[in-house]
Amino acid sequence: EKDTWQRERNILQNALKRAESQLAKVTAEVENRPVGETSSPKLQRLYRKYLRAESFRKALVYQKKYLLLLLGGFQDCEQATLSLIARMGIYPSPADLQLSGSRSRPFTKFRCAVRAIIAISR
């Protein structure tokens, strides 16, 4: 009885080792990384470069999401502020409207043209 128990134990241990090695191979394939440490140094260097680039890409994606979230918050704040100002009934005074209209139209056209040229040259 002890011999049969020992054989069964050995069979189960061997099966466990095979399952663990298969699990390691499948995990390596899923994670897209080399299976063994015996691969060539050139391949390892290339893989490290790939990991570094992937890390930078993920960081940029995270930064983009964060900035979009931040800008969305500012947009919400700006809309809330504008609606609050509108509810308060504050509108530009006639003096402000006259000041902006006092500039001549040719001067405004010239300024727009200069800004367009600067933008094109940049």
Side-chain angles (χ1 to χ4, degrees):
E1 191 175 314
K2 192 174 185 179
D3 289 338
T4 58
W5 179 81
Q6 193 71 14
R7 273 188 258 130
E8 187 177 332
R9 180 176 168 227
N10 288 338
I11 291 170
L12 290 175
Q13 282 181 343
N14 290 336
L16 178 63
K17 287 178 184 177
R18 280 191 305 250
E20 286 176 345
S21 67
Q22 287 177 351
L23 178 64
K25 286 180 184 178
V26 169
T27 304
E29 288 175 8
V30 168
E31 292 178 357
N32 196 17
R33 61 184 165 94
V35 176
E37 295 297 324
T38 60
S39 57
S40 69
K42 186 176 182 180
L43 186 62
Q44 287 179 350
R45 187 172 53 248
L46 190 62
Y47 182 68
R48 283 193 300 263
K49 285 175 84 173
Y50 162 76
L51 284 180
R52 192 176 313 120
E54 187 69 14
S55 174
F56 286 141
R57 187 190 68 78
K58 286 180 180 178
L60 286 174
V61 167
Y62 175 76
Q63 289 173 2
K64 180 181 176 183
K65 287 180 181 179
Y66 174 74
L67 289 175
L68 286 174
L69 183 67
L70 198 64
L71 286 174
F74 283 136
Q75 185 178 12
D76 293 340
C77 290
E78 182 184 14
Q79 289 174 351
T81 304
L82 290 175
S83 66
L84 178 66
I85 290 172
R87 275 187 268 132
M88 290 171 59
I90 300 173
Y91 298 103
S93 66
D96 292 337
L97 292 174
Q98 288 175 358
L99 181 63
S100 65
S102 67
R103 290 193 182 137
S104 64
R105 184 154 171 82
F107 179 72
T108 307
K109 278 186 173 181
F110 174 74
R111 233 164 77 188
C112 288
V114 169
R115 287 183 181 160
I117 291 171
I118 290 171
I120 290 171
S121 69
R122 286 183 181 168

